Amino acid sequence: MEAVQRRRVLVRGVVQGVGFRPYVYNRATGLGLAGHVTNTPEGVVAEVEGAPAAVSAFCERLAADAPPLAVVHAVDHCEVPVAGGSGFTIVASRSGGPARTLVPPDVATCADCLAELADPADRRHRHPFITCTHCGPRFTIVTGLPYDRAHTTMARFPMCPDCAGEYADPADRRFHAQPVACPACGPRLRLLAGSPPREEAGADPVAEARRLLAAGAILAVKGLGGYHLACDAAHAGAVAELRRRKARGDKPFALMARDPADVEHLVHLGPAERDLLTAPARPIVLLRRRPTAPPGEPVAEDVAPRCPDLGVMLPYTPVHHLLLGLPGDPPGPRLLVMTSGNLSGEPIVTDDAEALDRLGHLADAWLTHDRPIHVPCDDSVVRVCDGETLTVRRSRGYAPLPLDLPLPVPPVLAAGGDLKNAFCLGEGRQAWLSAHIGDMDDLATRYAFERAEQQLESITGVRPGLLAADRHPGYRSAGWAQRTAGARPLVRVQHHHAHIASVMAEHGLAGDGPVIGIAFDGTGYGDDGAVWGGEVLLADYAGYRRFAHLAYVPLPGGDAAVRRPYRMALSHLRAAGLPWSPDLPCAAACPPEELRVLERQLERGLHCAPTSSMGRLFDAVSSLAGVCHLAGYEAQAAIELESAALATPEGAAGAGYAFALHPAGADGGVPVTADPAPLLAAVVADVRAGTPPSLIAARFHAAVAGLVVELAGLARERHGLHTVALTGGVFANTVLSSACARLLRGRGFTVLRHHRVPPNDGGLALGQLMVAARTPHPPQQGEGHVPRGTRQSA
């Protein structure tokens, strides 16, 4: 009698919602094996029985041949008693026990589904919710584990006989595809318009939505992770009106294009950018604008005023494809503005009733549907720097995929920062960064934070026994952590230490030795109560030493100085001993009465927290050069300064400017201070000589890159360190990041930069987690004075 063997196989990772059970079924039946496969909170569990060679063949390449959306972290198998029987089945999922499987992110509509969407002979022709095993909603519809239809927001839509047949057919692409649907079984798309908003009987909602967009209307469009506000990007009036209604200032809007070819005349589109645009995650990709766009579809100037980039994404839901038009459809807008459905600073709207209320003064009509969104999830934002991905916002398409950690950690929750908030859960060698939450100043955002934290705990199974938060005494995220901790220890992590730990963790550093951490941003609470932000720290996970920093200058009026960069320019000039001559652009931009008040304020030191912020120095030079005097959104002055620098050909900046280092010969515990006074004097001389702002901007970027290299060289000379970590929101500036990396590598340094985790505060929580996990005796919450105006960041 032929020998028979039975093995139990447990597969952990992103293996639910990606067609893994159908894959196991087909693999087992193809090898003539009997048994079954099921979803469990731990992962996918299979038992296979048959000839030993066939059982071995089943196990050997189970991970290597997995479906494209699967991410297999571990395959464990062991021999179990032979049970007999024949045939292989997918059995009902098992609940109970700790959750250890991984929920996949939402995935853009696949090519096969798009072909059916456009095929008049297909029963899902023009169906707005077409999906299959390889695409569609996942994370945003999951209500529990294991991942089955009953644990998604599709549970309310019973499958029709045709869909049920496909779902049960191992040969079908929709075999066990949980969101499967068709026109017969829902969900249903509706267009609501008028006052009060109502549905027009018999109207095609997509056709009417396209007509409204072409006429200049603003539509609220329900997507995967929330509502968008959409309008025709070529309609100047519609774009200006959307900007006014949303109170967005000059902050750029994102565009949605049907195809990369629709934007090639507007932006530089290389292979790396094209790959990001067309990837299943479908992020917003920041693309460099062409200096002069050749003829083609115009884009209203108000889409991204004075911004060097256009943020572009491709359609990722069937509704998006229908809005942009299928072959044979009447002409309509080819480029749409797609911005999150909210007022600036508020969380994205997901609830339908809330959309009618909160977006009532923003939208003219609502293209909505009856499939609930369980998890809010904004669009991700990425860019390319030196041919590599730089993540600016990690959210839809990436969350909740885990990050591998270089060291095991206990169950930890890190609360993140107050701007661009994302929190982080970790256990063992994995960490889960949340989707983008937003700015914690808004009460609705804080509620969204709490709901998201509970939901991520539920799907990861992490039950944190340790919490981490920023040291800033006024951060709302830290206050939440303090209230929530109870008897659990809370570690307060210095802001820039967390930034450096974040990039270290992303690169898999075990923390065996310190790195030279260059942390440049707008704001971080310093150990001395000042506003730090131009820091060189010699750091590992266990601690840090402040090796160097920008010289302190007053931050007059706190947030007022952030919103009005001319105030920072005038403060820097005064600190450098340079007069406020009326011929300087920053002095001319300041109203006379404000100028007098500011002078007295600086003389007396009233509401003038000291700051070493590099972000604020960028603001100051931007105003001093006449580039930007008023910031309507975070980092606007710095972004426009980067845009100006791009107008100068590479290598044409000339000698550039320089900082003074004090004390230049320090070898003790006193940090080196980088004084921008000589740089500012050179900028003033250039302004008076009529030097173009673009050349001033290029020289300034070169000077900052030179400073980074000089300080790294001093740290190497004195401490023997050779690895430099570039982090903080300032390093989202690719002109600066690229120059620093090139110069540092040319001098033999190993350079670490962010790729999968944002350099800004969206990546802060990962660093907090790693530092907290390496803190032997968590300290109690410290007390401290909260400097006015330390909540802004860049």
Side-chain angles (χ1 to χ4, degrees), residues 507-560:
H507 283 269
L509 269 65
D512 299 329
V515 301
I516 304 166
I518 313 289
F520 288 171
D521 63 2
T523 291
Y525 186 74
D527 295 341
D528 55 1
V531 183
W532 289 10
E535 309 306 311
V536 181
L537 307 182
L538 310 182
D540 55 20
Y541 300 124
Y544 63 91
R545 171 185 172 186
R546 196 184 194 194
F547 176 76
H549 61 87
L550 276 183
Y552 285 135
V553 296
L555 184 69
D559 291 349

Side-chain angles (χ1 to χ4, degrees), residues 340-421:
S340 55
N342 54 8
L343 272 175
S344 291
E346 294 182 356
I348 192 170
V349 172
T350 58
D351 180 75
D352 299 332
E354 192 178 7
L356 293 174
D357 178 26
R358 283 177 54 195
L359 305 182
H361 61 296
L362 302 178
D364 301 311
W366 288 256
L367 187 62
T368 186
H369 57 76
D370 52 356
R371 182 183 69 205
I373 298 169
H374 186 66
V375 183
C377 203
D378 269 292
D379 294 315
S380 293
V381 182
V382 301
R383 69 183 316 152
V384 173
C385 181
D386 295 334
E388 297 179 298
T389 301
L390 168 60
T391 300
V392 178
R393 184 168 74 195
R394 186 181 185 272
S395 201
R396 178 192 51 75
Y398 301 102
L401 289 176
L403 298 161
D404 292 332
L405 297 178
L407 298 166
V409 300
V412 187
L413 166 62
D418 267 21
L419 294 183
K420 296 183 174 66
N421 179 270

Side-chain angles (χ1 to χ4, degrees), residues 200-221:
E200 184 178 340
D204 177 349
V206 171
E208 180 61 14
R210 295 188 77 220
R211 185 192 68 78
L212 288 170
L213 287 168
I218 297 168
L219 264 62
V221 179

Side-chain angles (χ1 to χ4, degrees), residues 68-250:
L69 299 181
V71 181
V72 177
H73 287 161
V75 179
D76 299 317
H77 50 87
C78 61
E79 193 164 347
V80 295
V82 172
S86 61
F88 194 91
T89 58
I90 296 179
V91 300
S93 298
R94 298 206 312 261
S95 300
R100 279 296 179 267
T101 192
L102 304 175
V103 175
D106 299 318
V107 180
T109 310
C110 70
D112 289 334
C113 283
L114 287 179
E116 294 170 345
L117 184 72
D119 183 0
D122 193 278
R123 73 186 190 92
R124 290 189 176 86
H125 179 229
R126 304 187 72 87
H127 179 50
F129 306 97
I130 190 169
T131 184
C132 72
T133 303
H134 305 304
C135 69
R138 297 292 191 273
F139 177 50
T140 54
I141 63 170
V142 167
T143 59
L145 289 176
Y147 177 76
D148 283 313
R149 194 178 182 95
H151 296 139
T152 73
T153 59
M154 287 296 294
R156 64 171 62 184
F157 302 103
M159 284 184 276
C160 70
D162 287 337
C163 286
E166 294 169 333
Y167 183 90
D169 181 1
D172 196 279
R173 199 174 81 253
R174 295 185 172 89
F175 183 42
H176 278 255
Q178 306 307 329
V180 64
C182 74
C185 51
R188 191 170 72 88
L189 194 66
R190 300 186 301 155
L191 183 78
L192 306 178
S195 184
R198 59 189 180 277
E199 184 178 7
E200 184 178 340
D204 177 349
V206 171
E208 180 61 14
R210 295 188 77 220
R211 185 192 68 78
L212 288 170
L213 287 168
I218 297 168
L219 264 62
V221 179
K222 188 175 182 181
L224 288 179
Y227 276 81
H228 282 109
L229 292 170
C231 71
D232 181 358
H235 196 298
V239 175
E241 180 62 14
L242 176 56
R243 188 170 290 284
R244 184 194 68 78
R245 291 184 190 179
K246 200 173 175 185
R248 194 175 171 86
D250 290 330

Side-chain angles (χ1 to χ4, degrees), residues 371-685:
R371 182 183 69 205
I373 298 169
H374 186 66
V375 183
C377 203
D378 269 292
D379 294 315
S380 293
V381 182
V382 301
R383 69 183 316 152
V384 173
C385 181
D386 295 334
E388 297 179 298
T389 301
L390 168 60
T391 300
V392 178
R393 184 168 74 195
R394 186 181 185 272
S395 201
R396 178 192 51 75
Y398 301 102
L401 289 176
L403 298 161
D404 292 332
L405 297 178
L407 298 166
V409 300
V412 187
L413 166 62
D418 267 21
L419 294 183
K420 296 183 174 66
N421 179 270
F423 61 89
C424 190
L425 285 169
E427 184 174 5
R429 283 185 173 266
Q430 289 188 318
W432 289 264
L433 268 175
S434 73
H436 171 77
I437 303 295
D439 296 348
M440 298 288 278
D441 280 343
D442 186 82
L443 182 61
T445 306
R446 299 201 287 278
Y447 287 145
F449 174 99
E450 292 177 358
R451 291 193 300 270
E453 194 279 326
Q454 293 166 6
Q455 193 268 346
L456 196 57
E457 276 197 33
S458 74
I459 65 170
T460 61
V462 176
R463 301 294 179 262
L466 171 66
L467 279 74
D470 195 274
R471 280 188 186 169
H472 194 304
Y475 265 17
R476 291 173 172 84
S477 54
W480 177 88
Q482 181 69 38
R483 293 189 302 273
T484 305
R488 296 175 292 180
L490 169 64
V491 177
R492 303 298 288 264
V493 182
Q494 200 282 324
H495 191 89
H496 302 97
H497 186 200
H499 271 309
I500 295 163
S502 176
V503 72
M504 288 174 63
E506 182 182 344
H507 283 269
L509 269 65
D512 299 329
V515 301
I516 304 166
I518 313 289
F520 288 171
D521 63 2
T523 291
Y525 186 74
D527 295 341
D528 55 1
V531 183
W532 289 10
E535 309 306 311
V536 181
L537 307 182
L538 310 182
D540 55 20
Y541 300 124
Y544 63 91
R545 171 185 172 186
R546 196 184 194 194
F547 176 76
H549 61 87
L550 276 183
Y552 285 135
V553 296
L555 184 69
D559 291 349
V562 180
R563 292 189 297 269
R564 288 170 263 174
Y566 59 77
R567 293 176 70 94
M568 276 314 305
L570 294 167
S571 179
H572 264 288
L573 288 176
R574 188 177 188 278
L578 298 168
W580 293 357
S581 303
D583 62 322
L584 297 178
C586 54
C590 186
E593 180 57 31
E594 183 179 354
L595 195 66
R596 287 190 290 272
V597 172
L598 180 62
E599 189 170 18
R600 290 196 298 272
Q601 183 178 8
L602 289 168
E603 284 174 356
R604 299 172 185 176
L606 295 173
H607 307 304
C608 289
T611 182
S612 60
S613 168
M614 180 61 79
R616 301 290 79 83
L617 180 60
F618 266 79
D619 291 351
V621 173
S622 187
S623 178
L624 181 55
V627 174
C628 179
H629 302 301
L630 296 172
Y633 63 91
E634 185 192 356
Q636 179 178 352
I639 288 170
E640 293 188 9
L641 191 67
E642 179 188 10
S643 179
L646 288 166
T648 299
E650 190 172 346
Y657 310 133
F659 292 78
L661 299 187
H662 309 291
D667 56 3
V670 178
V672 175
T673 301
D675 185 357
L679 178 149
L680 294 165
V683 172
V684 168

